[in-house]
Amino acid sequence: MAELLPVDDALARIVETAKPLATERVTVAAAAGRILREPARALVDLPPFPSSAMDGYAVRAADVPGELPVAFEIAAGSPPPGPLPPGAAAAISTGGTVPDGADAVVPVELVQDHGTRIAIAGQATGGQHVRPRGGDVREGDVVVEAGTTLGPAQIGALAASGIAEVTCSALPRVALLATGSELRAPGEPLGAGQIYESNRAMLAATLARIGADVDVLPVVEDDEAAHRAAIAGGLEADVLVSSGGVSMGEHDLVRRVAAELGVREIFWGVAVKPGKPLSFGARGGTLVFGLPGNPVSSLVGALVFVATGLRALQGAADARPRYAQGLTAAALSRNVHRDEFVRAVRVDDGDGVLLRPISGQESHMIVRAAVADSLVHVPRGDGEIPAGSPVRFLALD
Ligand code: AMP
Ligand code: MG
């Protein structure tokens, strides 16, 4: 393995290699998790009319305190019959249209005598409890920028702005394969020297969550012909993700066979732990990730590197991993050569997020890793990061 590539350089190469996929129209209701490719603009002012923030009475602020006749009633969804006559009030529901002439709403709990006449003892200020037209957004203004991953708040904003469909990236089609003659499917009996195959199910779940249409291919024996057939098929997808067979052993065939099939290797060997022997290449527009077979290495490789590729293919404004900040609960020793992703559990102690490393940090220990909800990033270097220091982490949940 040549010089190990720093994590940030590896991410930069992935981003520059990924060319955005085609776009498609998606209904807003189905667009959660998708990446927007054209800015979405409001089709209306929001609110579309001055609306009441409270149940109460619409008045002219200058008319109160005082006793006022109730001219009419305004329910949400029914426009007022006309402007508010001078010296009068209108009963109004939350979301009702504040009539022309009125400039304030007095909440019902501050009003005495509800009938044909009301009495208001306190002052009112102009604009109180009135949501002005366009106060949230103006027609034609951008509601969500291109390159944004649509989460619940964005979906709500789009729908509220009258938008029924948006232009999103197509989802990357991912072909997922696992190599290794020792692998058996869960549910089958294990023979001597065999283990259960866990990476395909884990990676399929990981990649689908990040945003991908995953095609899970059969397990591939450590045999050249089997590798050739599987990799050739997988290269038809937008992304080929394999696990296993990228280390230095004589049964590690993925890189060689991929190269024979025209895959241009862009890097092999990243300064990361776990997951050092990760390989990345491309053939045409297809991105090719070779993840190491140890389950935690595969998981970290998928979350850090494959995820970046999937987001870049979809035109994300920033495709790189999004870290959150916390404090490490224990001292973390640094690896001189490699950035490390330490499995940890988050505890919110009221003053902030504390990250408590779990025991069992080896790359085959997927069951130990399963109690973790965070991957703490420990940059390579000398010495240790003392307990209580700020660190950044990727959420696993
Ligand atoms: P490799 O990267 O092929 O050298 O595999 C490294 C280690 O991960 C070996 O102990 C393999 O048995 C194990 N391994 C490889 N692929 C898988 C898989 N799909 N599921 C579970 N363990 C695996
Ligand atoms: Mg193997």
Side-chain angles (χ1 to χ4, degrees), residues 11 122 239 297 315:
L11 295 174
V239 184
S297 308

Side-chain angles (χ1 to χ4, degrees), residues 179-180 182 222 244-245 252:
T179 71
E182 73 281 25
D222 291 325
D252 291 330

Side-chain angles (χ1 to χ4, degrees), residues 241-257:
V241 177
S242 63
S243 94
V246 289
S247 298
M248 310 260 223
E250 62 174 299
H251 299 291
D252 291 330
L253 303 169
V254 168
R255 296 172 52 236
R256 178 151 55 80
V257 171

Side-chain angles (χ1 to χ4, degrees), residues 148-328:
T148 307
T149 301
L150 299 175
Q154 289 79 35
I155 297 290
L158 293 166
S161 307
I163 298 166
E165 278 191 353
V166 283
T167 300
C168 292
S169 173
L171 274 184
R173 291 171 303 119
V174 176
L176 178 60
L177 56 86
T179 71
S181 297
E182 73 281 25
L183 305 174
R184 283 295 165 272
E188 290 177 7
L190 281 185
Q194 298 181 337
I195 59 166
Y196 285 120
E197 196 284 303
S198 56
N199 287 345
R200 287 179 309 160
M202 177 183 71
L203 294 171
T206 305
L207 303 181
R209 196 196 248 199
I210 294 160
D213 182 0
V214 183
D215 186 12
V216 181
L217 302 177
V219 172
V220 185
E221 299 280 322
D222 291 325
D223 160 272
E224 281 206 31
H227 271 58
R228 195 165 296 114
I231 293 173
L235 285 170
E236 300 302 317
D238 299 314
V239 184
L240 169 59
V241 177
S242 63
S243 94
V246 289
S247 298
M248 310 260 223
E250 62 174 299
H251 299 291
D252 291 330
L253 303 169
V254 168
R255 296 172 52 236
R256 178 151 55 80
V257 171
E260 285 166 15
L261 290 167
V263 174
R264 174 175 56 96
E265 189 162 85
I266 295 166
F267 61 77
W268 174 53
V270 182
V272 65
K273 185 180 175 192
K276 170 176 74 170
L278 185 139
S279 70
F280 173 66
R283 190 183 78 172
T286 300
L287 306 184
V288 182
F289 292 90
L291 303 177
N294 272 308
V296 184
S297 308
S298 254
L299 180 63
V300 169
L303 288 167
V304 176
F305 301 102
V306 183
T308 295
L310 294 178
R311 288 188 290 258
L313 284 173
Q314 294 177 81
D318 185 356
R320 293 170 304 170
R322 188 180 289 184
Y323 292 96
Q325 295 288 331
L327 302 175
T328 180

Side-chain angles (χ1 to χ4, degrees), residues 15-389:
V15 169
E16 74 198 21
T17 306
K19 300 287 168 270
L21 300 173
T23 61
E24 60 191 28
R25 299 284 286 171
V26 181
T27 64
V28 165
R34 302 292 293 269
I35 297 184
L36 199 64
R37 285 281 284 280
E38 286 175 4
R41 294 179 180 277
L43 298 178
V44 293
D45 290 341
L46 187 65
F49 48 84
S51 81
S52 177
M54 304 288 277
D55 292 323
Y57 291 86
V59 298
R60 286 177 177 76
D63 289 343
V64 299
E67 225 190 275
L68 306 172
V70 178
F72 46 77
E73 204 183 309
I74 307 156
S78 324
L84 184 71
I92 192 164
S93 308
T94 304
T97 305
V98 176
D100 286 345
D103 64 356
V105 170
V106 178
V108 69
E109 48 274 35
L110 301 181
V111 173
Q112 290 80 48
D113 296 346
H114 311 269
T116 52
R117 293 184 71 78
I118 57 167
I120 297 171
Q123 304 271 345
T125 53
Q128 75 173 35
H129 305 307
V130 177
R131 300 164 172 164
R133 175 177 176 152
D136 194 0
V137 72
R138 290 274 181 199
E139 180 183 340
D141 285 354
V142 173
V143 177
V144 183
E145 298 284 359
T148 307
T149 301
L150 299 175
Q154 289 79 35
I155 297 290
L158 293 166
S161 307
I163 298 166
E165 278 191 353
V166 283
T167 300
C168 292
S169 173
L171 274 184
R173 291 171 303 119
V174 176
L176 178 60
L177 56 86
T179 71
S181 297
E182 73 281 25
L183 305 174
R184 283 295 165 272
E188 290 177 7
L190 281 185
Q194 298 181 337
I195 59 166
Y196 285 120
E197 196 284 303
S198 56
N199 287 345
R200 287 179 309 160
M202 177 183 71
L203 294 171
T206 305
L207 303 181
R209 196 196 248 199
I210 294 160
D213 182 0
V214 183
D215 186 12
V216 181
L217 302 177
V219 172
V220 185
E221 299 280 322
D222 291 325
D223 160 272
E224 281 206 31
H227 271 58
R228 195 165 296 114
I231 293 173
L235 285 170
E236 300 302 317
D238 299 314
V239 184
L240 169 59
V241 177
S242 63
S243 94
V246 289
S247 298
M248 310 260 223
E250 62 174 299
H251 299 291
D252 291 330
L253 303 169
V254 168
R255 296 172 52 236
R256 178 151 55 80
V257 171
E260 285 166 15
L261 290 167
V263 174
R264 174 175 56 96
E265 189 162 85
I266 295 166
F267 61 77
W268 174 53
V270 182
V272 65
K273 185 180 175 192
K276 170 176 74 170
L278 185 139
S279 70
F280 173 66
R283 190 183 78 172
T286 300
L287 306 184
V288 182
F289 292 90
L291 303 177
N294 272 308
V296 184
S297 308
S298 254
L299 180 63
V300 169
L303 288 167
V304 176
F305 301 102
V306 183
T308 295
L310 294 178
R311 288 188 290 258
L313 284 173
Q314 294 177 81
D318 185 356
R320 293 170 304 170
R322 188 180 289 184
Y323 292 96
Q325 295 288 331
L327 302 175
T328 180
L332 297 164
S333 57
R334 297 171 73 177
N335 182 302
V336 183
H337 302 290
R338 295 190 271 162
D339 287 16
E340 196 163 346
F341 286 93
V342 172
R343 279 71 79 200
V345 175
R346 294 198 295 278
V347 196
D348 193 334
D349 73 347
D351 290 330
V353 177
L354 273 181
L355 292 136
R356 197 160 281 150
I358 61 162
S359 71
Q361 294 282 339
E362 289 173 59
S363 62
H364 65 288
M365 292 183 164
I366 189 63
V367 174
R368 299 291 194 92
V371 301
D373 55 18
S374 309
L375 283 178
V376 177
H377 178 230
V378 181
R380 65 189 192 284
D382 294 318
E384 63 169 34
I385 299 175
S389 307

